[in-house]
Amino acid sequence: MMKFRFRRQTTDPQREKIKQELFAFRKTVEHGFPHQPSALAFDPKLQLMAIGTKSGAIKIYGAPGVEFTGLHKDTTAVTQILFLPGQGCLLSLLDDNTIHLWELVAGVTREVGGVKKEGVVSLREVDSYCLPGRPGIESSSATRVTVLHLLKSCDLLCVGTEGGGVYVLELPRLSLKENQTLLQDHVTQSLPDDYRCGKSLGPVESLQEHPQQAGKILIGYSRGLVVLWDLSSRHADQLFLGKQQLESLVWERSGNLFVSSHNDGGYSVWAVTNGNVYNNQPVSSTIPYGPFPCKAIPKILWRTTQSSSPVILYSGGMPRASYGDRHCLTIQQDKEHVTLDFTSRVIDFFTVHNVDDDKEFDDPSALVVLLEEELVVIDLLTPGWPSLPTPYLAPLHSSAITCSCHVTNVSTKLWERLINAGKAQQSRRHTHKSWPICGGKSLAPPPKQQELLLTGHEDGTVRFWDASGVALTPLYKLSTANVFHTDCDPVDDPHDDPDMQQEEEEEWPPFRKVGCFDPYSDDPRLGIQKISLCKYSNKLVVAGTAGQVIILGLNDERSDHLVDVSVMDLLQDREGFTWKGHDRLEPRLKPAPFPPGFQPLVLLQCLPPASVTAVALHAEWNLVAFGTSHGFGLFDYHRRNAVLARCTLHPNDSLAMEGPLSRVKSLKKSLRQSFRRIRKSRVSGKKRVLTTPTSKVQEANAALAEQEEVAPVQRRIEPRSADDSLSGVVRCLCFADTFLRDGTHHGPTLWAGTNSGSVYAYALEVPGVGLGRTCERGGASESSMCVEAVLGKEIQLMHRAPVVSICVLDGRGKPLPDPYEASQDLAIAPDMTNAHSVLIASEEQLKVFSLPKVSAKTKFKLTAHEGCRVRKVALVLFSSSVQEDYSEHTLVCLTNMGDMHLFNIPGLRPQVRFDCIRKEDISGIASCVFTKNGQGFYLISPSEYERFSLSAKVLTEPLCSVQLHRHLEQTFTCDGTPTHMQANGTHKNQMGQAEGKVDVPLSTLPSPLLDTPLDSPLSCADLTLDSTGELTVEDVRDFLTTVDEEENNLRNMKDEEGRSPGILIN
Amino acid sequence: MNKNHRVPSSRSLSAVEVKSKFGAEFRRFSLDRSKPGRFDEFYGLLQHVHRIPNVELLVGYADVHGDLLPINNDDNYHKAITTANPLLRLFLQRKAENTFATDSLTRKKNTVLSAVLLRPDATKKKPPVIISLPKDFRPVSSIIDVDILPETHRRVRLYKHGQEKPLGFYIRDGSSVRVTPQGLEKVPAIFISRLVPGGLAESTGLLAVNDEVLEVNGIEVAGKSLDQVTDMMIANSHNLIITVKPANQRNNVVRSGGGGGAASGSSGRSSDSGNFSAGELESDEDEEDLVIEAGGEAEPIRRTSSNYSMPSLPRYEPHLNLRTATNFSSAFSIHTNGTLPASNSSGSLNNTNANSATPSPDRARRSLEEEGTVITL
């Protein structure tokens, strides 16, 4: 308090302007597959596909790069979506029985990267409607909408309900046409007595308009009755008295036939012949997977082809006993019959086919299947119906993501080699037909540079993604499992094997495995924990859960070789420690074939085989440093020589020996418990639309009961003690060419930081580097010399908070360039004339120390001031959006509160603060990864990355236009700003979320080093310091506490409710 | 006094080796551990062995932690004898010299220490029980900024001094009522929920259960979550200043007169409070990070982190907890054998280096339970 009184805050208007030109926060696009999809629709005219999710988001996809996102006000599941073909409008039905109308509208001209873009389109909700309940009937379920159908004329919407009524709404105003309503009584009157038998017809299951005669709709009731209803004359043309419970209906294109699918796993073909009002028997009825009881066929499609018999596509229908648990979709044409066997539930599917009225046949070209976890597209034109690789909507989580790493500015050469390696991997079952969903046009400028996103997965694979643009496209997949000898020896791809294929064909039903979502890991020890890629030397280091560190090199040829194995004991001869965790993975003893791409060179196994917590690669010195919860090691992979092993264990650190797997288990358990608690609190705290007095009493009682359960939340205030558990965990490692021992000689150094606030600095003797010193020694030839490491400094941070990152700054206060960048003139050479400094970021403080005498220069006590702790730190180069050549190196901190703090370096003065991630979203915070130019990614669900931008200049966001059949009017909001682009498809706290708050700097610490704005954009040599994706114990603790907090708040709310009279009626 | 004392060896069972230093001269003699006698006898003995019969002396000894502690009454004399292990090092000074804690004297001259309760002339008169010089006390807590805070609030400073005594309190969240233009409004707030018996917070008597926490080291807690406040307190734990609204408002400082308010009674307000918040908040020396230079020898792997870890200092077990009404501006938790403040509190390694007189006795035996009496004034 006093401090701020004495330190008058001075806001320099000049500086504020520069800040605005440098920093701007925006969530730009979501990559990956939408979490929990619940509805699918396709506009054949605009070639756009829409996916609705359980969280109330609608996402529209067209050609790669074309994406629109809309978000309903309520987080209610989207159950159905319908496009108004060609109009750029769509209707959505939500789980709360409301119908919403959305429109694609053109925003004002946007300026992107100095180029004006006109006709940028965004998605906006324009209207909503809720079907009124019938007067006198209490239950709302009678008017619960089961099915929507849009007439071809696009002006009428038929709504089928649970009560069996069909309502007609006028579009686009969404008004009910009262006189058109068809209630069940109307239909039952015309039924023969023996069919009627006093029972209701059940909910409306399907509504389908006659393909040729407008105004006639086919109404399918659950009990099996199908009625061809004429809307204009309001009478039933024909009645089809089905006996079997109905699931769906589909017309044949000519309108002479329709097909119904049933609950018993069968489908029937009905002929629509004039004259006959009652039709008792279908033309044919088939149960394809009979004769044993089968599951229902929820949806069937019947598509005619010019060349041969129609293609029948249906989901489900599997024999209940033997394959009842499979998620299948069958494609049938003549004798050809394929049962696509998916790994997740089929949500919906559609075909891409001719819709023009003048064409006689459907001639489907592609089948698009939306599954719960991925999107599968089948090419129906190529014999054998192969699957098409998707250019977007990739299932990031095909195996759970365990870590991620971002590489900017990848050279074209490496890029091409990766693409080629990726192409070689694609199985024969893929075709290279063009993508069938190609609506819209992306207006976004082509990416200036190629960006790679690497994700490490639980099954030991590393996936390389093209993250340069809006669509995150898979490039290449690296598997590390074949380095090891695992129980189920991995065969690359089961359906690559011709023998297996033959077996498949003999099998009935003729299953074919499709899709890549496979959440089941063979061995959890294979999980990838850390990735580091050197883009200049094409060396990759991948470290995993069982203490394996694999060094890989890029090779364009297939190769069979034996991988060198080195074992490093990090415990040295410490006594009294016994590893109780998992065993190490057994390396393969025979040479293994490695496909083109990254091929392992050396396998480094640290003992005890604890999970690797930090990794650093310096390809120029051929050195790899790695750390676990026991210590860290340094390895020269060129000479296959272990240089250093250092134990960081504290004598009374017992937890470190338990091993991560047992910990993971308890962690998962506690997570599950806390999720349960959240769910419980959500249920009781949820706003109900319909609240009856009885339910209120129940709610109040439940709240009371819950209140008794929860113990008061309190926190112990104790200073951090030295003997905290897991104090020896190595949190970060870093190589730097700097001054460690004296101010005149610089040389290679290695820095390591631990969980208990210790920093170890080693001076390295690398043959050939720092030539002056090798000459002194004289004589010894370079090849025979080994790398040596000598401890230079040990720093113990007195506040003992875990060291999150270490980075060395050069004489100008800029971060040192990456390996090779200086020697190959790719970056400005670091200033070696002035004194260097080291930036050490702990969870609580940011500190800059001068080198070689480690004395504190500047610091910022983030936790002491803000009460939040640092989770991720990165040094980012921000370029000005106005001045071409102006840029600043900035330290970006993500805290456990989910906000971003930006500091200048080395002054460590706070610049801005943005709210980014919800603080409850611990996996989001843990998965956050920064790019070097001011963007970042974090997981918003297991399958989606949210991309955000902190930079005012560097943005990757969808900018698309769509050629609509209606007039696109420009919309302006009252203040003239463009309509807000809603890029986040998941509900978040909306307050101040999108436009990050700009905070006034808290303290203006006088810093001896002033900002040096003379920095060219060429020196993009900043370091992304940490890309950890793991959950730390603190994360979980934070999470649990926030949950507690929520509960507490809820409790407080309930307290108040409890006091207000009129709720507790007994 | 020595009932819990663990006797380390049979040799020291009977006699205590004493090495006494006065000026440049050393004297060695021994005392019977079981029958140490009284302080005035011991004082006479010292004057005798140093042959300075008429010199007024200040007697100090180095305790196991390297702190220079005074001997001026029977209690701390017995304490010195019982804890001496194996050697009792004494440092004698002429009374005028007054070199106890010279470092802290210069540093803390204008701080709370000057607002002490005992006048210097009082000590000269030799009251029946001498409890060391006031400067020799280490302040444990203080109320600061009395003059600028509303009467209903209290700003309490807890001194950790690098020692391992726990801060010892818990906080919780709850709701408090604020007066706003719209009327009374319920807002979330942070409260002290529990005090750990024997902890620093309890021993000061300045914090109590259900006190509402308003600020931590000058930063308002309004709008911050329980975890943020927890983290802030822990991050500031070496020098924690919390502003509370006490649940019990009866013990507030009652300021007579108008705005300024004259100092009433004992020491109603401290004149020096401004120095704290302005200067001390920024003082970083008490958390200097430790840098160890390796000599350049290879094979550093064996080095353990315990080389420089903080020695676990003994926990205090207060016997007597006299708590008076808290309308003093400064509260001291005082050890009868008052610990002399070290030059700074940046971990004991620095302490030992700075204090060259400290003989750094056998560090292995630091598990002693130091017993003393805590008086809260």
Side-chain angles (χ1 to χ4, degrees):
Chain A
M1 195 40 124
M2 300 293 286
K3 183 165 65 181
F4 307 122
R5 201 184 303 158
F6 293 125
R7 290 254 166 80
R8 186 68 37 90
Q9 271 174 22
T10 48
T11 44
D12 179 11
Q14 187 68 31
R15 181 67 198 154
E16 291 305 309
K17 189 170 164 282
I18 293 174
K19 276 196 217 169
Q20 280 180 11
E21 289 166 11
L22 289 172
F23 314 120
F25 181 74
R26 184 171 214 159
K27 291 184 181 170
T28 48
V29 64
E30 286 159 12
H31 294 306
F33 186 75
H35 187 52
Q36 293 186 312
S38 53
L40 175 73
F42 181 62
D43 183 343
K45 284 190 181 149
L46 293 181
Q47 297 274 309
L48 292 174
M49 172 179 69
I51 293 176
T53 72
K54 280 191 179 156
S55 56
I58 288 189
K59 297 182 155 205
I60 301 179
Y61 299 89
V66 177
E67 279 187 45
F68 307 100
T69 306
L71 197 58
H72 287 98
K73 283 182 199 76
D74 292 312
T75 46
T76 324
V78 181
T79 51
Q80 276 183 63
I81 308 177
L82 288 178
F83 268 105
L84 276 63
Q87 296 193 9
C89 293
L90 61 96
L91 288 157
S92 62
L93 171 68
L94 296 192
D95 203 29
D96 63 1
N97 215 29
T98 53
I99 299 164
H100 300 256
L101 179 66
W102 296 78
E103 248 178 25
L104 289 172
V105 287
V108 287
T109 308
R110 298 263 305 272
E111 200 178 292
V112 180
V115 187
K116 283 203 170 162
K117 297 284 178 187
E118 278 181 50
V120 172
V121 169
S122 58
L123 186 64
R124 208 177 53 153
E125 185 179 340
V126 283
D127 207 354
S128 70
Y129 177 78
C130 185
L131 208 59
R134 267 166 70 186
I137 295 178
E138 275 289 312
S139 156
S140 62
S141 70
T143 52
R144 187 172 174 79
V145 179
T146 52
V147 65
L148 295 180
H149 183 74
L150 187 70
L151 296 197
K152 245 186 179 169
S153 52
C154 283
D155 55 354
L156 289 179
L157 176 74
C158 298
V159 179
T161 64
E162 199 115 298
V166 176
Y167 301 82
V168 178
L169 299 182
E170 226 175 340
L171 285 177
R173 288 177 295 120
L174 282 176
S175 56
L176 184 67
K177 285 183 92 172
E178 298 277 358
N179 55 344
Q180 286 279 5
T181 305
L182 165 69
L183 297 177
Q184 226 175 58
D185 319 349
H186 274 296
V187 182
T188 20
Q189 279 164 17
S190 51
L191 281 177
D193 284 341
D194 59 328
Y195 191 84
R196 209 183 299 162
C197 65
K199 279 189 283 183
S200 119
L201 295 173
V204 178
E205 286 293 337
S206 185
L207 290 169
Q208 297 291 335
E209 192 187 9
H210 196 288
Q212 306 298 335
Q213 300 165 25
K216 281 189 181 178
I217 53 167
L218 204 58
I219 305 168
Y221 293 96
S222 181
R223 221 181 97 189
L225 177 74
V226 179
V227 178
L228 184 61
W229 182 261
D230 192 327
L231 280 174
S232 46
S233 62
R234 288 188 51 74
H235 84 279
D237 268 10
Q238 282 184 59
L239 293 153
F240 305 90
L241 309 175
K243 298 283 192 304
Q244 196 44 251
Q245 201 174 324
L246 188 85
E247 290 282 333
S248 80
L249 292 174
V250 67
W251 279 104
E252 198 233 359
R253 195 182 178 94
S254 61
N256 300 326
L257 288 176
F258 74 86
V259 186
S260 63
S261 76
H262 299 283
N263 191 30
D264 63 344
Y267 63 88
S268 310
V269 183
W270 303 78
V272 184
T273 42
N274 285 329
N276 211 354
V277 178
Y278 297 111
N279 197 333
N280 282 307
Q281 284 299 321
V283 178
S284 72
S285 197
T286 329
I287 300 181
Y289 296 107
F292 298 111
C294 291
K295 297 194 86 172
I297 295 179
K299 181 171 179 178
I300 188 162
L301 292 180
W302 182 281
R303 298 288 180 236
T304 54
T305 55
Q306 191 166 13
S307 48
S308 58
S309 47
V311 183
I312 310 165
L313 310 108
Y314 52 89
S315 55
M318 285 291 114
R320 194 175 286 275
S322 40
Y323 299 109
D325 54 343
R326 300 271 185 123
H327 310 289
C328 292
L329 192 142
T330 307
I331 314 173
Q332 245 178 298
Q333 186 180 26
D334 282 336
K335 290 258 160 48
E336 271 191 81
H337 185 130
V338 169
T339 312
L340 304 173
D341 185 6
F342 302 109
T343 49
S344 56
R345 202 162 56 87
V346 178
I347 305 289
D348 203 353
F349 59 97
F350 65 82
T351 56
V352 181
H353 58 269
N354 285 329
V355 281
D356 295 344
D357 289 331
D358 48 336
K359 291 264 172 55
E360 203 182 329
F361 296 97
D362 288 324
D363 283 328
S365 58
L367 163 70
V368 179
V369 189
L370 177 69
L371 304 165
E372 200 156 37
E373 306 289 356
E374 62 186 314
L375 185 83
V376 170
V377 179
I378 304 287
D379 179 10
L380 294 176
L381 295 177
T382 314
W385 299 320
S387 56
L388 260 173
T390 57
Y392 45 79
L393 284 169
L396 290 166
H397 60 317
S398 51
S399 168
I401 295 177
T402 44
C403 66
S404 49
C405 163
H406 186 271
V407 185
T408 16
N409 211 354
V410 178
S411 67
T412 330
K413 202 175 171 205
L414 171 60
W415 194 260
E416 278 168 6
R417 289 176 75 181
L418 280 174
I419 287 176
N420 288 336
K423 269 185 190 154
Q425 278 182 334
Q426 268 169 17
S427 71
R428 285 174 285 130
R429 292 262 176 182
H430 284 290
T431 55
H432 303 286
K433 273 261 158 56
S434 59
W435 182 244
I437 303 156
C438 50
K441 203 173 87 187
S442 177
L443 301 174
K448 290 188 189 72
Q449 55 185 33
Q450 275 123 353
E451 291 180 28
L452 265 183
L453 180 70
L454 278 66
T455 54
H457 296 262
E458 204 180 15
D459 62 352
T461 56
V462 178
R463 279 157 221 255
F464 291 65
W465 306 89
D466 174 5
S468 340
V470 168
L472 191 72
T473 321
L475 290 179
Y476 164 68
K477 175 179 138 187
L478 163 74
S479 173
T480 61
N482 54 357
V483 179
F484 302 101
H485 181 81
T486 49
D487 296 339
C488 29
D489 231 10
V491 183
D492 273 341
D493 240 340
H495 38 255
D496 257 1
D497 204 342
D499 300 335
M500 296 264 295
Q501 205 176 308
Q502 273 163 12
E503 267 173 47
E504 267 174 42
E505 274 163 19
E506 285 156 23
E507 195 185 14
W508 178 259
F511 285 124
R512 190 216 293 177
K513 286 238 175 257
V514 181
C516 56
F517 176 72
D518 176 20
Y520 306 106
S521 167
D522 298 337
D523 191 335
R525 294 177 295 170
L526 289 170
I528 307 292
Q529 296 295 330
K530 296 283 157 199
I531 304 170
S532 179
L533 172 70
C534 173
K535 60 187 176 188
Y536 302 109
S537 63
N538 305 334
K539 287 280 185 301
L540 175 71
V541 174
V542 163
T545 308
Q548 74 271 34
V549 180
I550 307 165
I551 298 131
L552 305 104
L554 191 59
N555 186 355
D556 297 331
E557 302 298 323
R558 197 181 173 86
S559 151
D560 288 73
H561 64 266
L562 191 66
V563 180
D564 290 336
V565 181
S566 268
V567 177
M568 281 177 86
D569 185 9
L570 290 179
L571 282 184
Q572 299 293 316
D573 34 14
R574 278 289 186 103
E575 280 173 25
F577 288 110
T578 350
W579 171 248
K580 300 186 194 101
H582 50 233
D583 288 336
R584 56 180 275 194
L585 286 161
E586 281 310 312
R588 207 176 259 259
L589 297 171
K590 287 175 285 184
F594 296 105
F598 279 99
Q599 294 171 350
L601 305 171
V602 190
L603 165 66
L604 206 60
Q605 178 67 51
C606 39
L607 289 179
S611 178
V612 176
T613 53
V615 86
L617 166 70
H618 201 296
E620 209 171 351
W621 305 335
N622 297 314
L623 290 175
V624 165
F626 58 92
T628 71
S629 47
H630 304 105
F632 57 92
L634 181 64
F635 187 79
D636 178 354
Y637 60 79
H638 184 61
R639 298 174 186 82
R640 308 280 200 265
N641 176 26
V643 180
L644 168 78
R646 163 84 197 230
C647 182
T648 54
L649 276 183
H650 195 263
N652 35 5
D653 193 352
S654 55
L655 271 174
M657 301 316 290
E658 255 176 40
L661 286 188
S662 59
R663 297 182 58 73
V664 164
K665 208 174 188 179
S666 64
L667 190 139
K668 267 188 183 161
K669 198 176 155 197
S670 61
L671 271 181
R672 201 180 311 133
Q673 279 166 349
S674 45
F675 277 123
R676 248 181 229 151
R677 270 195 289 169
I678 298 176
R679 212 177 302 141
K680 218 159 93 188
S681 57
R682 272 212 196 116
V683 168
S684 54
K686 202 172 131 188
K687 282 179 282 170
R688 293 263 174 83
V689 190
L690 306 153
T691 31
T692 54
T694 48
S695 75
K696 263 193 179 167
V697 172
Q698 279 168 0
E699 230 170 84
N701 287 342
L704 273 174
E706 208 167 287
Q707 212 169 317
E708 282 163 359
E709 266 176 46
V710 182
V713 186
Q714 55 176 16
R715 297 276 176 277
R716 189 183 157 103
I717 308 297
E718 289 302 329
R720 199 183 288 276
S721 75
D723 42 83
D724 251 355
S725 60
L726 288 170
S727 57
V729 179
V730 176
R731 290 291 294 267
C732 55
L733 290 161
C734 134
F735 285 107
D737 182 5
T738 188
F739 304 90
L740 184 64
R741 285 191 277 207
D742 53 73
T744 46
H745 301 93
H746 64 89
T749 57
L750 168 69
W751 298 74
T754 73
N755 229 11
S756 58
S758 305
V759 176
Y760 306 91
Y762 281 83
L764 308 179
E765 300 272 1
V766 183
V769 183
L771 282 167
R773 223 168 302 145
T774 45
C775 290
E776 276 170 37
R777 296 201 168 187
S781 71
E782 237 181 63
S783 56
S784 67
M785 278 177 59
C786 288
V787 179
E788 276 176 40
V790 181
L791 182 68
K793 297 261 185 340
E794 282 187 32
I795 304 165
Q796 174 64 54
L797 301 174
M798 279 324 271
H799 58 283
R800 294 190 176 277
V803 180
V804 178
S805 103
I806 302 170
C807 170
V808 175
L809 309 174
D810 73 357
R812 287 183 298 259
K814 304 275 168 269
L816 295 181
D818 277 346
Y820 285 113
E821 281 184 342
S823 60
Q824 298 190 355
D825 285 337
L826 296 159
I828 291 179
D831 180 0
M832 294 307 221
T833 50
N834 292 313
H836 283 198
S837 49
V838 60
L839 167 64
I840 297 178
S842 77
E843 279 196 2
E844 295 187 358
Q845 300 185 359
L846 312 166
K847 251 178 171 170
V848 175
F849 296 89
S850 66
L851 285 177
K853 187 182 178 299
V854 181
S855 57
K857 261 162 66 176
T858 50
K859 74 167 166 187
F860 188 81
K861 299 200 221 172
L862 193 72
T863 308
H865 290 154
E866 315 273 319
C868 47
R869 270 173 305 182
V870 178
R871 284 281 173 265
K872 303 270 165 175
V873 153
L875 280 169
V876 170
L877 186 76
F878 282 93
S879 308
S880 168
S881 55
V882 178
Q883 299 165 55
E884 265 303 302
D885 53 348
Y886 183 78
S887 62
E888 269 183 33
H889 284 281
T890 304
L891 181 74
V892 180
C893 272
L894 171 68
T895 70
N896 64 334
M897 308 305 288
D899 46 6
M900 302 280 178
H901 294 253
L902 274 63
F903 298 90
N904 70 347
I905 54 164
L908 294 182
R909 247 175 292 167
Q911 303 293 309
V912 270
R913 192 186 75 84
F914 303 111
D915 283 330
C916 181
I917 311 175
R918 279 179 309 123
K919 64 176 181 185
E920 296 85 11
D921 186 7
I922 51 164
S923 64
I925 293 172
S927 62
C928 186
V929 55
F930 295 99
T931 75
K932 290 178 177 182
N933 50 22
Q935 298 196 64
F937 303 85
Y938 67 90
L939 285 174
I940 46 172
S941 70
S943 56
E944 280 169 293
Y945 271 110
E946 174 82 64
R947 191 187 190 113
F948 61 89
S949 179
L950 297 162
S951 162
K953 189 176 185 186
V954 186
L955 277 176
T956 307
E957 60 177 351
L959 291 172
C960 354
S961 71
V962 175
Q963 205 60 48
L964 299 185
H965 291 209
R966 68 179 161 86
H967 179 61
L968 262 181
E969 67 256 65
Q970 295 234 324
T971 49
F972 293 91
T973 44
C974 48
D975 54 354
T977 50
T979 46
H980 190 71
M981 289 273 283
Q982 215 165 9
N984 39 345
T986 39
H987 273 281
K988 285 154 201 129
N989 190 4
Q990 298 283 339
M991 290 243 301
Q993 191 62 256
E995 47 283 297
K997 284 177 262 171
V998 177
D999 272 15
V1000 198
L1002 264 170
S1003 82
T1004 42
L1005 284 165
S1007 116
L1009 286 129
L1010 295 165
D1011 309 330
T1012 40
L1014 299 161
D1015 194 10
S1016 110
L1018 274 171
S1019 68
C1020 45
D1022 32 348
L1023 301 163
T1024 305
L1025 292 168
D1026 194 7
S1027 59
T1028 48
E1030 87 279 21
L1031 301 181
T1032 64
V1033 183
E1034 288 90 72
D1035 282 328
V1036 177
R1037 190 165 57 83
D1038 286 356
F1039 180 74
L1040 292 178
T1041 56
T1042 46
V1043 171
D1044 286 343
E1045 226 165 87
E1046 277 181 356
E1047 276 178 358
N1048 217 34
N1049 293 342
L1050 266 171
R1051 203 147 41 86
N1052 284 345
M1053 275 163 54
K1054 278 169 210 147
D1055 275 358
E1056 286 165 12
E1057 277 172 13
R1059 260 170 233 126
S1060 68
I1063 291 180
L1064 276 167
I1065 312 157
N1066 281 317
Chain B
M1 215 55 200
N2 55 357
K3 55 185 186 296
N4 292 333
H5 178 54
R6 187 164 48 85
V7 181
S9 73
S10 56
R11 189 177 60 89
S12 59
L13 189 74
S14 51
V16 179
E17 256 186 274
V18 182
K19 185 179 178 187
S20 174
K21 181 178 183 254
F22 176 70
E25 285 184 61
F26 288 96
R27 294 286 184 278
R28 283 175 177 272
F29 58 96
S30 68
L31 285 168
D32 192 343
R33 192 186 287 274
S34 53
K35 278 179 280 190
R38 287 154 44 84
F39 169 69
D40 39 2
E41 294 167 13
F42 176 66
Y43 190 76
L45 179 68
L46 288 175
Q47 286 178 323
H48 174 71
V49 295
H50 281 279
R51 300 200 181 113
I52 40 169
N54 296 318
V55 181
E56 291 275 279
L57 288 176
L58 280 174
V59 185
Y61 76 103
D63 79 340
V64 283
H65 316 299
D67 285 329
L68 185 63
L69 303 179
I71 301 178
N72 47 20
N73 59 25
D74 286 352
D75 278 349
N76 53 23
Y77 166 56
H78 290 176
K79 181 81 183 173
I81 294 290
T82 50
T83 55
N85 201 353
L87 183 72
L88 176 65
R89 290 165 196 258
L90 295 177
F91 302 91
L92 309 183
Q93 286 159 332
R94 276 175 211 277
K95 210 150 219 181
E97 281 179 24
N98 196 9
T99 44
F100 284 121
T102 35
D103 289 351
S104 64
L105 194 70
T106 48
R107 194 174 147 224
K108 303 228 162 109
K109 190 175 272 172
N110 294 325
T111 63
V112 185
L113 282 162
S114 62
V116 287
L117 309 166
L118 298 168
R119 302 281 174 268
D121 54 335
T123 48
K124 268 180 196 154
K125 280 180 190 166
K126 287 207 176 182
V129 178
I130 306 168
I131 54 163
S132 180
L133 291 173
K135 304 177 192 63
D136 303 338
F137 296 127
R138 174 182 287 174
V140 177
S141 63
S142 56
I143 301 185
I144 55 174
D145 297 340
V146 185
D147 45 349
I148 55 165
L149 282 176
E151 283 173 26
T152 52
H153 296 181
R154 181 187 296 160
R155 186 166 291 163
V156 178
R157 182 172 178 183
L158 300 174
Y159 301 79
K160 265 274 293 166
H161 287 301
Q163 63 180 2
E164 291 289 293
K165 186 173 185 175
L167 287 168
F169 63 101
Y170 288 74
I171 57 170
R172 64 168 170 90
D173 47 13
S175 58
S176 133
V177 179
R178 290 276 150 77
V179 185
T180 61
Q182 291 82 36
L184 292 178
E185 200 184 324
K186 247 187 171 179
V187 289
I190 306 287
F191 296 90
I192 293 175
S193 63
R194 195 150 77 80
L195 298 178
V196 177
L200 190 59
E202 195 214 31
S203 64
T204 65
L206 299 178
L207 299 172
V209 172
N210 289 333
D211 286 1
E212 183 184 348
V213 178
L214 303 170
E215 287 176 7
V216 175
N217 285 53
I219 297 139
E220 284 194 44
V221 301
K224 291 205 159 62
S225 71
L226 184 65
D227 292 294
Q228 274 177 291
V229 178
T230 309
D231 286 341
M232 281 164 66
M233 288 188 174
I234 290 172
N236 288 309
S237 61
H238 58 92
N239 178 24
L240 184 63
I241 299 170
I242 43 180
T243 309
V244 292
K245 188 177 159 200
N248 182 356
Q249 291 283 345
R250 275 177 297 174
N251 291 333
N252 283 336
V253 181
V254 180
R255 273 175 268 162
S256 56
S264 64
S266 49
S267 48
R269 63 198 188 94
S270 59
S271 52
D272 47 46
S273 54
N275 287 349
F276 265 127
S277 9
E280 292 278 321
L281 261 180
E282 291 295 302
S283 78
D284 284 338
E285 63 227 280
D286 48 355
E287 56 146 14
E288 276 294 306
D289 300 315
L290 204 59
V291 180
I292 296 180
E293 301 268 346
E297 284 83 40
E299 203 51 51
I301 296 148
R302 303 273 157 74
R303 292 176 68 111
T304 62
S305 54
S306 60
N307 281 355
Y308 52 87
S309 68
M310 305 243 294
S312 53
L313 291 165
R315 310 245 156 193
Y316 289 72
E317 290 294 333
H319 284 190
L320 171 69
N321 203 350
L322 291 173
R323 202 174 293 164
T324 60
T326 48
N327 51 356
F328 295 105
S329 69
S330 300
F332 290 76
S333 227
I334 296 166
H335 248 272
T336 23
N337 47 355
T339 316
L340 290 180
S343 56
N344 60 25
S345 33
S346 62
S348 66
L349 196 79
N350 283 10
N351 282 354
T352 49
N353 291 343
N355 213 339
S356 59
T358 309
S360 93
D362 197 354
R363 287 203 167 245
R365 300 189 184 90
R366 59 172 86 104
S367 58
L368 291 171
E369 276 292 305
E370 192 178 352
E371 295 191 352
T373 313
V374 176
I375 304 171
T376 310
L377 291 169

